[in-house]
Amino acid sequence: MKTLIKKNNFAAIFSFLFLTVISMSACKKEKQKQVAVTDTSYQVNSKVDAGMTKSGSKATATLSGLYSPKSKKLVYKVEFNAIEPSVIEFRNEKDAVIFSIKKTGTKYTSPLNGEIILNAENENALINQKYYIQLSSAKYPNGEIKGQLSAKKQ
């Protein structure tokens, strides 16, 4: 009888240890998969002109940037010509202002560099191409030129 109890205890302990090791290794693999997904960065670009505003303006601009889901940071550079912007804004598909780029001094100067921290909702909209940049001027306060933002995985 003692031999049977010892064998059952050994089998139970061995089974418990085996299942614990398997469970821990599965959790470790899951964490590694999550890190790989969040380390992906996105190249963000936009060609900005009067096509979306129908203003007839000859002004143009380009936006180039990099978005990191890990830091939630969009680092951008906006270059523009033939326009003196009074306001530069990032807007969503509902035309709501997501972020206004503040002036440094009395007017905007090109090139314009900066960064934005995005929340989860804004990140999703950026990655799904639901944002655009709008440059407004005194002559066109509702938007002289606009451009859709494109975000592509690197």
Side-chain angles (χ1 to χ4, degrees):
M1 184 75 157
K2 288 182 182 180
T3 309
L4 183 61
I5 292 174
K6 286 181 184 178
K7 286 181 182 178
N8 284 342
N9 284 345
F10 177 76
I13 291 170
F14 178 78
S15 297
F16 174 76
L17 289 175
F18 178 76
L19 290 174
T20 302
V21 169
I22 296 294
S23 298
M24 290 174 65
S25 66
C27 291
K28 189 175 181 180
K29 286 179 185 176
E30 184 63 32
K31 286 180 183 177
Q32 289 172 349
K33 287 179 187 176
Q34 289 174 351
V35 170
V37 170
T38 58
D39 285 347
T40 302
S41 59
Y42 292 82
Q43 185 67 42
V44 179
N45 294 294
S46 181
K47 291 186 186 235
V48 187
D49 58 28
M52 289 175 69
T53 63
K54 311 277 191 255
S55 69
S57 173
K58 301 294 182 206
T60 60
T62 58
L63 176 136
S64 58
L66 190 64
Y67 178 68
S68 167
K70 186 174 182 179
S71 68
K72 304 292 185 201
K73 188 182 298 185
L74 169 62
V75 178
Y76 63 84
K77 178 180 180 180
V78 179
E79 297 180 87
F80 53 88
N81 59 56
I83 184 174
E84 286 190 34
S86 55
V87 177
I88 301 175
E89 299 168 323
F90 290 90
R91 293 175 168 254
N92 67 15
E93 64 186 348
K94 296 176 184 172
D95 204 32
V97 176
I98 302 306
F99 185 82
S100 287
I101 298 175
K102 304 296 183 203
K103 294 181 198 176
T104 54
T106 59
K107 64 179 189 171
Y108 293 102
T109 56
S110 181
L112 183 62
N113 298 300
E115 60 185 51
I116 304 169
I117 303 297
L118 300 180
N119 62 26
E121 180 183 350
N122 292 340
E123 173 186 59
N124 188 44
L126 174 70
I127 291 169
N128 289 300
Q129 327 293 324
K130 298 192 183 222
Y131 278 165
Y132 66 91
I133 185 169
Q134 175 175 294
L135 285 74
S136 301
S137 64
K139 187 174 180 181
Y140 299 99
N142 294 324
E144 185 168 343
I145 58 177
K146 294 181 183 182
Q148 193 76 33
L149 272 60
S150 167
K152 295 182 182 173
K153 282 185 184 180
Q154 282 195 309

